[in-house]
């Protein structure tokens, strides 16, 4: 089966959109968790703010590139000649309406991401939700129409996925930065002893957040899969959509196992050894961080496969 090179590029751009959205959501979530720490590092919070804004700007740019690619695919024209088709796509197609909603949400999120404070955070959150709603309206979930239960559940699924994946992906470098700051710290003993406690509290919040987001991802994902494959007459693994879905499920299972092991084994060890901050605590900390880093890699793979799945017809095409 020959695949149009423009469609391949579309899939890559869609995966990039999922990635930068997850990074923006993860940066926002990690910032909120750090703000709850009594001695959070201002430099880390500032770095997260910059990362969130950069991700949102990239999201807007990726939206524009995706529109151009979609116009080229729908118009059957080369990439360089798709300009005249863009206007028609925007004004005469359902995709154009959905794209406009999503892009408006991404721009709104940028305005919120460019500022600091709780209000700005809520503006960024609202913008990202609007973006996700536009994305859902342009997906398989909108086959039965807009403002349906299926489309609403897909919005919830995409949002929970971004929160689950993004919080893990962003938390991995946050904890690495935290460790680096601790390694060069010459603060007083009281501050040093507060470090492990704050770090463990952050890890516990991350674990709880990821667990709740994962539960939503699983429930909504099952619903989406049953809806997408309801009309299949061939065996699920006999069509491309089924094979891509199976790969995604394998990666999700791997991420769940990694996160579950961290939550059940290393997080309790961190909590039990944080008081003295001795070798046992440092060993548990390194193990937790390594497992989190592997989980973050699995999350990146999940987002890439999700981009492919979103461009694969459930009917077996």
């Amino acid at each position: 089966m020959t695949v149009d090179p423009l469609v391949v590029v579309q899939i890559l751009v869609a995966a990039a959109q999922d990635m930068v959205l997850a990074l923006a959501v993860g940066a926002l979530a990690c910032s909120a968790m750090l703000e709850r720490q009594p001695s959070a590092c201002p430099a880390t919070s500032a770095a997260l703010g910059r990362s969130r804004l950069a991700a949102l700007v990239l999201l807007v740019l990726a939206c524009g590139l995706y529109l151009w690619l979609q116009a080229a695919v729908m118009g059957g024209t080369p990439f360089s000649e798709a300009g005249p088709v863009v206007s028609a796509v925007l004004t005469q197609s359902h995709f154009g309406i959905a794209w406009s909603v999503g892009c408006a949400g991404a721009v709104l999120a940028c305005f919120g991401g460019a500022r600091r404070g709780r209000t700005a955070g809520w503006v960024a959150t609202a913008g990202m939700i609007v973006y996700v709603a536009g994305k859902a309206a342009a997906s398989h979930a909108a086959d039965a129409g807009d403002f349906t239960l299926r489309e609403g559940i897909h919005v919830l699924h995409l949002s929970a996925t971004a929160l689950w994946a993004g919080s893990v992906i962003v938390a991995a470098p946050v904890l690495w930065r935290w460790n680096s700051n601790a390694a060069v710290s010459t603060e007083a003993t009281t501050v040093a002893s507060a470090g492990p406690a704050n770090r463990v509290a952050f890890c516990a919040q991350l674990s709880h957040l990821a667990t709740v987001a994962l539960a939503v991802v699983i429930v909504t994902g099952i619903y989406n899969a049953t809806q997408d494959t309801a009309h299949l007459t061939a065996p699920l693994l006999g069509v491309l959509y089924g094979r891509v879905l199976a790969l995604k499920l394998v990666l999700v299972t791997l991420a769940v196992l990694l996160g579950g092991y961290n939550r059940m084994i290393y997080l309790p060890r961190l909590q039990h050894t944080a008081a003295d901050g001795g070798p046992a605590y440092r060993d548990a900390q390194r193990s937790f961080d390594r497992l989190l880093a592997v989980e973050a890699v699995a999350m990146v793979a999940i987002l890439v496969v999700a981009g492919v799945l979103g461009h694969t017809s459930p009917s077996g095409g």
Side-chain angles (χ1 to χ4, degrees), residues 137-216:
S139 70
H140 303 313
D143 290 347
D146 290 320
F147 306 106
T148 61
L149 175 64
R150 184 180 177 189
E151 191 174 289
I153 289 179
H154 195 49
V155 170
L156 190 58
H157 179 74
L158 293 175
S159 301
T161 300
L163 181 59
W164 178 42
S167 60
V168 170
I169 293 171
V170 173
V174 166
L175 291 177
W176 177 84
R177 184 187 182 102
W178 202 322
N179 295 339
S180 299
N181 291 339
V184 299
S185 176
T186 57
E187 299 288 340
T189 303
T190 54
V191 176
S193 63
N198 289 336
R199 191 186 186 287
V200 171
F202 177 84
C203 292
Q205 292 174 36
L206 171 66
S207 180
H208 298 330
L209 177 66
T211 300
V212 173
L214 171 62
V216 176

Side-chain angles (χ1 to χ4, degrees), residues 7 14 77 88 180 183 196 239:
V7 174
T77 63
S180 299
V239 297

Side-chain angles (χ1 to χ4, degrees), residues 2-15 69 73 308 311:
T2 303
V3 181
D4 187 340
L6 287 179
V7 174
V8 175
V9 178
Q10 263 192 307
I11 293 173
L12 295 175
V13 173
L69 288 165
V73 172
V308 178
H311 288 76

Side-chain angles (χ1 to χ4, degrees), residues 258-270:
L258 292 169
Y261 197 88
N262 243 354
R263 180 177 176 84
M264 292 185 293
I265 303 299
Y266 291 124
L267 181 59
R269 292 182 185 177
L270 282 172

